[in-house]
Amino acid sequence: MVIRSPQADVEIPDVSLYDFLFADLTGADLDRVALIDGPSGDKTTYGTLRAHVDAVAGAIAARGLEPGDVVALHSPNVPAFVSVFHGLLRAGITVTTVNALASGAEVGKQLIASGAKALITVSPLLAQATAGAEAAGLGADDVVVLDGAQGHANLRDLLTSGAPAPDVTFDPATHLAVLPYSSGTTGLPKGVMLTHRNLVANVLQAEPYIPLTNDDVIPAVLPFFHIYGITALMNGGLYQRSALLTMPRFDLEEYLGIITKHRATVLFVAPPIALALAKHPLALQADLSSVRLLNSGAAPFDAQLAAAVVQRMPHAHVGQGYGMSELSPISHIIPTGRSDISPGSIGLLVPNMQAKIVDPATGEEIEQPTEGTSAPGELMCAGPNVMVGYLDNEQETRDTITADGFLHTGDIVTVDADGVFTVVDRLKELIKYKGYQVPPAELEALLVAHPQIADAAVVGVPDGAGEELPKAFVVLADGAELSADDVMEYVAAKVAPYKKIRLVEFTHAIPKSAAGKILRKDLKAA
């Protein structure tokens, strides 16, 4: 059974991302603030931003790079990231975004895998960038350091080259815009091929559910190198002429100060940030009254955590979206104003999307019920935001996208009669205990709800007899005193017997990706 979005389809123009975002700037838009550097407060207008984008495009073309070439962008969230990212796309370049936390070896692997012909970075990351560039056979002339470093071109060189933006033409439906790499938490990293049309479509698909305005001020703390940051934050904000407040790294005190000082209105966060906003003493003292919308994504946002955020910010709409890099990334959102939808769900299919729910054991499609909630199954999605495929990996592409265009998400969901989807858990992360499936996210939500637990993660560990035992890694709140038995008894009182926590390890922090996903493979290897 194909499940469709309850929202009417949106029209998707056949244009490049540059034309979509910048071609129709009005006179009023030119003077509107586009970017604010969080640490310094420096502002960039939309007029200046477009001029910088055009200048970067001209300089890149003058360096001999051509449409279809790949350039790696390796930087934290700074205003220059936006200028360079869109300048590269303006020139027809495909951008592969590199995690700012990547090691030199990881940078090198991505440069080689993507076939990048140049690397653009910043001086604090130069050591890793240099190691990666050398591994990929790139020389100093191929590495641009935005804030300057001896022997390398810099941002000023790009902006002042005087070369005109090239006149390039390509098919937005097939020309690759970005090549992010999957996180690798459930397998080896793969290059996700996303076209200009994918990115244009996904901004327009999200807009009816999260309508931004030119009065919105949006702290950009989620990394731009992640597709969530690219689409929801950067491109979504630019499309509506909002002001983006860039932050190169997350610091709770600085984040709260920026929200207060600039009267931020929209917060795009991952669950760790939501957790801090709900529980941290600094957040409890901060003025968050300007916030009208908080949307969580990139990792599970359970109902208990959502309720805690709602209690902290009762004046704001609190919800979450769902997606993955392969979906550009958004497929579901809780629409703003829909207080009748549980913030612990992932909401409704965005416009132009179709979905199926498939029993992972039998492959049979699960029907959407006329009342109540469906049985759980793997979510599959189709729409204009679905990736072209994995770079140089036809087998993985065929395994992921069916012949009729539905993408396997690997997530187990239910859907109710109103079209509201809820994630049960990640298919590949389900713990098998005595034949039962134990969802880690459910247990983690229980643990984090405990007032003396600051954070937690649950993984399956082998018991030597072919079974997996649910093991909890627990971060205690300041001053808390809990034993392993206390933790296990707390969970046991709230779950079916087969879902009990069997092992507990206390730790100082839960390892997570920049997107906020728990790095379960790191915990299993510990």
Side-chain angles (χ1 to χ4, degrees):
M1 176 184 183
V2 174
I3 304 168
R4 302 180 186 277
S5 171
Q7 183 78 16
D9 283 355
V10 295
E11 183 178 351
I12 303 167
D14 188 31
V15 296
S16 70
L17 188 61
Y18 172 84
D19 286 340
F20 174 68
L21 294 178
F22 299 108
D24 64 347
L25 287 176
T26 66
D29 289 336
L30 295 177
D31 294 329
R32 196 179 300 280
V33 174
L35 305 169
I36 304 172
D37 180 68
S40 70
D42 291 344
K43 297 178 180 179
T44 304
T45 66
Y46 274 90
T48 299
L49 173 60
R50 186 171 66 179
H52 286 178
V53 169
D54 290 343
V56 170
I60 288 297
R63 293 171 70 89
L65 292 162
E66 301 177 343
D69 287 344
V70 177
V71 172
L73 182 51
H74 176 226
S75 168
N77 287 12
V78 292
F81 188 112
V82 181
S83 302
V84 171
F85 177 89
H86 284 289
L88 291 168
L89 266 61
R90 168 75 174 81
I93 303 299
T94 299
V95 180
T96 186
T97 48
V98 184
N99 192 319
L101 302 179
S103 67
E106 290 169 332
V107 173
K109 287 179 181 178
Q110 185 166 335
L111 294 176
I112 294 168
S114 65
K117 293 188 175 181
L119 170 64
I120 300 175
T121 189
V122 293
S123 59
L125 305 179
L126 185 56
Q128 301 94 306
T130 299
E134 290 176 351
L138 299 181
D141 289 344
D142 302 313
V143 178
V144 175
V145 182
L146 294 174
D147 53 337
Q150 188 173 1
H152 299 279
N154 58 41
L155 179 62
R156 181 178 294 276
D157 296 327
L158 298 182
L159 296 179
T160 60
S161 74
D167 182 15
V168 297
T169 58
F170 51 77
D171 181 1
T174 59
H175 192 81
L176 298 187
V178 294
L179 190 63
Y181 273 71
S182 60
S183 64
T185 57
T186 55
L188 296 175
K190 299 174 285 291
V192 178
M193 297 189 291
L194 300 176
T195 66
H196 283 253
R197 181 175 174 81
N198 286 149
L199 300 188
V200 169
N202 210 218
V203 169
L204 291 172
Q205 288 173 290
E207 196 275 337
Y209 289 173
I210 305 182
L212 304 176
T213 75
N214 56 27
D215 291 324
D216 278 321
V217 177
I218 309 172
V221 66
L222 294 180
F224 287 152
F225 57 73
H226 187 272
I227 192 63
Y228 181 16
I230 290 173
T231 296
L233 262 171
M234 180 165 61
N235 293 341
L238 294 177
Y239 175 64
Q240 294 294 356
R241 313 303 184 219
S242 305
L244 303 181
L245 268 159
T246 61
M247 290 185 64
R249 64 183 182 88
F250 177 71
D251 175 88
L252 180 60
E253 185 172 6
E254 182 181 4
Y255 183 60
L256 294 170
I258 282 176
I259 292 172
T260 302
K261 178 181 178 181
H262 295 277
R263 305 300 293 164
T265 58
V266 176
L267 305 182
F268 288 103
V269 302
I273 298 176
L275 181 65
L277 291 174
K279 288 196 168 189
H280 198 282
L282 284 175
L284 298 178
Q285 299 169 13
D287 178 7
L288 304 179
S289 61
S290 62
V291 178
R292 69 173 184 86
L293 167 65
L294 179 145
N295 194 78
S296 181
F301 185 62
D302 62 86
Q304 290 92 334
L305 176 54
V309 177
V310 169
Q311 186 175 11
R312 178 70 184 92
M313 290 186 286
H315 53 280
H317 170 82
V318 176
Q320 70 172 312
Y322 168 87
M324 54 195 300
S325 297
E326 291 84 345
L327 293 171
S328 302
I330 303 165
S331 64
H332 295 70
I333 303 175
I334 298 175
T336 302
R338 288 293 301 272
S339 58
D340 58 310
I341 297 178
S342 167
S345 75
I346 58 172
L348 308 173
L349 279 167
V350 297
N352 304 66
M353 286 295 298
Q354 302 177 33
K356 296 179 182 178
I357 300 178
V358 178
D359 186 319
T362 67
E364 295 184 0
E365 294 181 16
I366 294 171
E367 297 285 317
Q368 180 183 4
T370 55
E371 58 181 27
T373 303
S374 74
E378 184 189 3
L379 174 66
M380 299 179 67
C381 292
N385 50 323
V386 174
M387 69 171 180
V388 174
Y390 293 119
L391 180 68
D392 298 329
N393 201 329
E394 293 183 6
Q395 185 59 53
E396 285 277 6
T397 300
R398 286 194 297 270
D399 290 344
T400 303
I401 304 176
T402 64
D404 58 351
F406 279 83
L407 182 138
H408 287 274
T409 67
D411 281 313
I412 305 298
V413 304
T414 61
V415 65
D416 69 14
D418 296 320
V420 176
F421 287 74
T422 300
V423 174
V424 176
D425 219 310
R426 178 75 183 165
L427 180 62
K428 295 180 181 179
E429 293 176 352
L430 291 174
I431 300 167
K432 290 290 188 70
Y433 178 73
K434 296 189 181 298
Y436 291 99
Q437 294 182 335
V438 180
E442 179 182 345
L443 299 178
E444 289 159 359
L446 283 173
L447 290 166
V448 172
H450 193 293
Q452 295 187 68
I453 294 177
D455 205 357
V458 176
V459 300
V461 296
D463 67 352
E467 294 281 351
E468 282 187 309
L469 300 178
K471 178 178 179 178
F473 290 82
V474 173
V475 180
L476 293 178
D478 290 343
E481 293 184 3
L482 288 177
S483 68
D485 286 341
D486 292 335
V487 173
M488 289 188 284
E489 290 171 7
Y490 166 75
V491 174
K494 299 177 180 296
V495 299
Y498 68 87
K499 292 183 180 179
K500 291 180 181 179
I501 296 292
R502 310 286 165 171
L503 299 166
V504 175
E505 180 174 332
F506 294 101
T507 184
H508 294 296
I510 302 298
K512 295 177 182 178
S513 71
K517 292 183 179 180
I518 295 171
L519 298 176
R520 301 186 195 280
K521 64 179 182 179
D522 291 359
L523 291 172
K524 290 181 178 182

